[in-house]
């Protein structure tokens, strides 16, 4: 089946620095990628929808200047957490939809971010 | 390691039929269990959840009961509608590391 990778799988950074997380579809083209955040002991929250070649669509309450999303190609989307703070520590997951249709969605393994 | 297995789709039903989507899990400890739904063209949404054994999660006419003895969390709805057509994902999150693990998803088609 289709594979989605994320890099890095785990990152620890100091408060105030920026962190970039990559999401790649390894064997298919993805016009749409989604970014999710999971808070401790809670369910997944959709942060934004990323479409190749256009600006991301952010969910209500998600700061677009804080969480920069770039979808530069059909196989790569990046999420940059700018000026990270401890409250940004979380588990970030991306998913990608195949070019052929929205129904098939594949999830990345997630990235654990810890901001000290 | 922890894992989630759900029935393969697609599942095709007529409107007002009874729905069951099976989900079983393997996990150490006492995970929280979730059902997520993805409507066409949209991202994942939480449908319902249960955090301990015998809890029943419910929302929009859907319900699922956390059965520790059978390690199951089957999704049910008494009377489906065309608007329920979507992909449904069963998932677990273990308190040990908060990582969420998804099943592969079950596509549901409801015919009018």
């Amino acid at each position: 089946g289709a594979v989605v990778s994320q890099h890095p799988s785990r990152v620890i950074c100091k408060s105030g620095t920026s962190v970039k997380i990559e999401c790649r579809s390894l064997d298919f083209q993805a016009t749409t990628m989604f970014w999710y955040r999971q808070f401790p002991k809670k369910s997944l929250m959709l942060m934004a929808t990323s479409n190749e070649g256009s600006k991301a669509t952010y969910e209500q309450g998600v700061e677009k200047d804080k969480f920069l999303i770039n979808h530069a190609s059909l196989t790569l989307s990046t999420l940059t957490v700018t000026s990270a703070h401890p409250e940004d520590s979380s588990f970030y997951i991306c998913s990608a939809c195949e070019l052929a249709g929205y129904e098939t969605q594949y999830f990345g393994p997630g990235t654990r971010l810890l901001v000290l | 390691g922890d894992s989630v297995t759900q029935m393969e789709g697609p599942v095709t039903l007529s409107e007002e039929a009874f729905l069951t989507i099976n989900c079983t899990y393997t996990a150490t400890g006492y995970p929280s269990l979730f059902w997520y739904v993805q409507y066409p063209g949209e991202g994942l949404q939480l449908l319902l959840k249960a955090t301990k054994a015998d809890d029943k999660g419910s929302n929009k006419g859907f319900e699922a009961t956390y059965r520790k003895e059978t390690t199951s969390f089957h999704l049910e709805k008494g009377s489906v509608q065309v608007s329920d057509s979507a992909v449904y994902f069963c998932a677990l999150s273990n308190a040990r590391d908060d990582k969420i693990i998804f099943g592969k998803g079950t596509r549901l088609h409801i015919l009018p």
Side-chain angles (χ1 to χ4, degrees), chain B residues 1-4 90-93 99-103:
Chain B
D2 297 349
S3 66
V4 174
C90 184
L92 72 81
S93 180
K99 184 173 182 176
I100 190 162
I101 297 171
F102 287 92

Side-chain angles (χ1 to χ4, degrees), chain A residues 87-104:
Chain A
E87 57 266 30
D88 298 325
S89 299
S90 193
F91 192 60
Y92 294 87
I93 297 176
C94 74
S95 68
C97 294
E98 282 191 281
L99 188 64
Y102 285 99
E103 290 84 2
T104 305

Side-chain angles (χ1 to χ4, degrees), chain A residues 36-40 86-92 111-115:
Chain A
Y36 300 88
R37 178 177 178 178
Q38 186 188 9
F39 294 92
E87 57 266 30
D88 298 325
S89 299
S90 193
F91 192 60
Y92 294 87
T111 297
R112 171 76 62 194
L113 170 64
L114 177 61
V115 184

Side-chain angles (χ1 to χ4, degrees), chain B residues 35-53:
Chain B
W35 275 101
Y36 288 86
V37 60
Q38 184 194 15
Y39 297 103
E42 299 181 13
L44 226 56
Q45 301 174 30
L46 177 65
L47 180 60
L48 54 83
K49 68 176 181 180
T51 58
K52 60 182 187 295

